């Protein structure tokens, strides 16, 4: 915490120095949404280069002055929380003054900018992300406040903890982990008692694009147990994008890649080649939209696709067919095809990339 306080004090001292010299204060931070500032490393994923281009939030420019003021406001809130050892969610911060902040996304963006500027992970700033992910299966742990949590597969899942760093005494006999893109598929596998039927496993869903806590938990489980991790996504550009976030990280959070990515993650399904292999009827597939085509073209150009020849091939199949499929498409074969046939066969015979 002293490191955080010192980092904030340094920023404020620079502001005061500028004012003393009758100069307009500026805040300087790395340009975290620019692909030119990102390098791809097999072992880490997407990470920020050491000497990257920066942008300035100026206090004397009408366009950036409001953001300058909001950054100072949130810095002062963080300072108080670290001093008093209290925590707040991003939502709490927004609701502390909705008129001032205007929208939740403004707050989210500023918090990521501050984390990047101070080079301090968001958790150390005493800001908790709102968690939307679920975890189930062969796993138990103790939360920071001493609460014991058992995720062993019942029909209900456990919410991903809001302070992943604080959990300890992790125990599991799982043989693998399965990251499921969507809540509906995750719940279906829970109902089918998938975690116990095949072999003990841990299932996680970020319910779409994963929040920070879900990504932190996947990384923590990987660090702790070193078991294979598979992903089960829709066979569409959006599903591929989500899988890449777990595996290689995202551009906007590349400054924190070391805590968030798991480059050993494998693509289990739903593969575009599976649709041909299983003779899925074309009338249950969904035609691409213009947006799908754009998204797929952008993914195909990314640096990590070049080192994944098998992925590249799958994306080419998808691009050529201009058709996408949700995981639920497997119910056109039989209602429990996913848990009874598809996943057991894939896991037994190594049908992943």
């Amino acid at each position: 915490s002293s490191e955080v306080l010192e980092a904030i004090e340094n920023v404020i001292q620079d502001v005061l120095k500028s004012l003393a010299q009758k100069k307009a204060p500026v805040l300087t931070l790395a340009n975290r949404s620019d692909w030119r500032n990102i390098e791809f490393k097999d072992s880490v994923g997407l990470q920020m280069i050491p000497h990257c281009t920066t942008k300035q939030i100026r206090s004397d420019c009408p366009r950036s002055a409001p953001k300058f003021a909001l950054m100072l406001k949130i810095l002062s809130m963080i300072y108080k929380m670290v001093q008093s050892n209290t925590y707040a969610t991003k939502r709490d911060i927004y609701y502390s003054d909705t008129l001032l902040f205007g929208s939740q996304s403004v707050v989210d963006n500023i918090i990521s900018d501050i984390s990047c500027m101070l080079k301090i992970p968001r958790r150390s700033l005493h800001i908790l992300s709102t968690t939307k992910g679920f975890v189930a299966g062969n796993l138990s742990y103790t939360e920071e406040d001493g609460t014991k949590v058992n995720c062993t597969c019942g029909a209900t899942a456990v919410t991903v903890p809001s302070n992943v760093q604080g959990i300890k005494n992790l125990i599991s006999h799982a043989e693998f982990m399965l990251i499921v893109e969507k809540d509906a598929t995750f719940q279906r596998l829970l109902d089918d008692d998938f975690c116990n039927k095949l072999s003990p496993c841990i299932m996680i869903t970020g319910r779409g694009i994963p929040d920070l806590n879900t990504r932190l938990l996947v990384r923590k489980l990987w660090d702790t147990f070193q078991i294979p991790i598979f992903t089960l996504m829709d066979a569409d550009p959006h599903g591929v994008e989500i899988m890449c976030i777990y595996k290689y990280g995202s551009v906007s959070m590349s400054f924190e890649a070391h805590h968030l990515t798991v480059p050993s993650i494998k693509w289990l399904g739903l593969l575009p080649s599976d649709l041909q292999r299983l003779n899925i009827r074309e009338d249950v597939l969904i035609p691409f939209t213009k947006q799908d085509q754009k998204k797929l073209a952008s993914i195909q150009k990314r640096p990590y696709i070049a080192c994944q020849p098998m992925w590249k091939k799958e994306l080419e199949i998808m691009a050529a067919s201009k058709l996408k499929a949700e995981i639920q498409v497997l119910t056109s074969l039989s209602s429990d095809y996913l848990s009874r046939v598809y996943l057991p066969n894939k896991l037994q015979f190594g049908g992943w990339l």
Side-chain angles (χ1 to χ4, degrees):
S1 61
S2 60
E3 186 193 334
V4 182
L5 296 175
E6 193 182 330
I8 295 174
E9 284 160 9
N10 290 340
V11 171
I12 302 305
Q13 273 175 336
D14 287 344
V15 169
L16 292 174
K17 259 184 221 158
S18 301
L19 290 171
Q21 295 165 357
K22 300 214 168 5
K23 287 182 187 161
V26 293
L27 298 172
T28 306
L29 58 139
N31 207 341
R32 62 188 176 86
S33 56
D34 190 339
W35 272 95
R36 287 169 301 189
N37 286 335
I38 311 296
E39 63 179 352
F40 170 64
K41 253 194 166 161
D42 259 1
S43 57
V44 183
L46 300 174
Q47 63 174 9
M48 210 167 237
I49 56 175
H51 305 291
C52 53
T53 59
T54 55
K55 60 178 179 182
Q56 289 191 325
I57 313 293
R58 302 190 61 87
S59 60
D60 61 347
C61 158
R63 259 185 47 226
S64 63
K67 182 166 183 178
F68 180 91
L70 292 180
M71 282 182 79
L72 289 190
K73 165 80 174 166
I74 291 179
L75 276 169
S76 79
M77 294 171 85
I78 292 169
Y79 194 82
K80 280 184 194 137
M81 289 193 297
V82 175
Q83 272 185 324
S84 59
N85 197 24
T86 53
Y87 286 82
T89 63
K90 295 190 292 186
R91 213 168 166 68
D92 296 335
I93 290 176
Y94 168 59
Y95 279 109
S96 70
D97 199 334
T98 51
L99 278 176
L100 177 69
F101 293 119
S103 77
Q104 182 69 60
S105 60
V106 167
V107 172
D108 297 356
N109 199 14
I110 285 177
I111 288 166
S112 293
D113 277 344
I114 286 174
S115 174
C116 183
M117 175 176 76
L118 301 177
K119 296 189 171 46
I120 289 171
R122 193 193 308 171
R123 324 173 270 302
S124 307
L125 302 176
H126 284 230
I127 294 171
L128 304 171
S129 319
T130 317
T131 295
K132 62 184 179 108
F134 288 132
V135 58
N138 194 299
L139 173 69
S140 62
Y141 56 84
T142 309
E143 289 202 347
E144 196 180 28
D145 63 1
T147 311
K148 287 185 168 50
V149 178
N150 188 355
C151 308
T152 307
C153 249
T156 54
V158 172
T159 307
V160 167
S162 58
N163 184 358
V164 175
Q165 290 313 98
I167 66 174
K168 47 190 183 290
N169 308 335
L170 289 92
I171 299 167
S172 176
H173 305 291
E175 288 175 23
F176 65 91
M177 238 164 89
L178 183 65
I179 299 172
V180 183
E181 177 186 349
K182 282 193 184 138
D183 194 24
T185 311
F186 180 84
Q187 295 297 342
R188 179 66 211 245
L189 289 171
L190 269 187
D191 295 342
D192 290 350
D193 198 22
F194 176 74
C195 298
N196 300 321
K197 271 188 183 153
L198 194 62
S199 57
C201 73
I202 299 169
M203 285 200 319
I204 289 186
T205 179
R207 299 164 76 195
I209 293 171
D211 57 276
L212 197 67
N213 293 328
T214 304
R215 290 173 63 188
L216 282 168
L217 183 63
V218 170
R219 176 59 196 251
K220 181 144 191 152
L221 293 173
W222 159 247
D223 286 338
T224 310
F225 302 118
Q226 301 277 313
I227 50 177
I229 304 181
F230 302 108
T231 57
L232 180 61
M233 305 280 152
D234 288 342
D236 66 10
H238 191 63
V240 175
E241 173 88 282
I242 288 171
M243 172 173 58
C244 291
I245 289 173
Y246 283 107
K247 187 174 170 78
Y248 296 123
S250 57
V251 177
S252 63
M253 293 298 287
S254 57
F255 61 95
E256 265 206 68
H258 291 271
H259 311 284
L260 292 172
T261 57
V262 184
S264 62
I265 283 174
K266 305 275 186 282
W267 186 6
L268 186 71
L270 189 60
L271 302 176
S273 58
D274 288 339
L275 304 175
Q276 300 171 337
R277 187 174 57 82
L278 299 170
N279 290 322
I280 303 285
R281 302 194 320 270
E282 203 159 302
D283 63 320
V284 295
L285 302 176
I286 308 160
F288 260 26
T289 62
K290 277 233 162 57
Q291 215 172 353
D292 290 326
Q293 277 174 307
K294 258 175 74 176
K295 164 90 68 195
L296 182 58
S298 111
I299 293 171
Q300 285 176 303
K301 289 194 196 98
R302 290 191 194 159
Y304 43 71
I305 297 298
C307 67
Q308 290 279 5
M310 303 297 282
W311 283 32
K312 207 172 157 193
K313 213 177 261 179
E314 292 293 333
L315 298 182
E316 281 161 6
I317 293 172
M318 199 190 288
S321 74
K322 292 197 173 66
L323 293 168
K324 57 184 181 175
E326 297 186 323
I327 299 161
Q328 285 86 330
V329 82
L330 296 175
T331 54
S332 68
L333 301 171
S334 79
S335 65
D336 58 352
Y337 191 85
L338 176 66
S339 59
R340 188 176 51 84
V341 184
Y342 182 82
L343 288 174
N345 283 348
K346 282 258 173 174
L347 292 158
Q348 199 177 340
F349 303 114
W352 57 79
L353 306 177

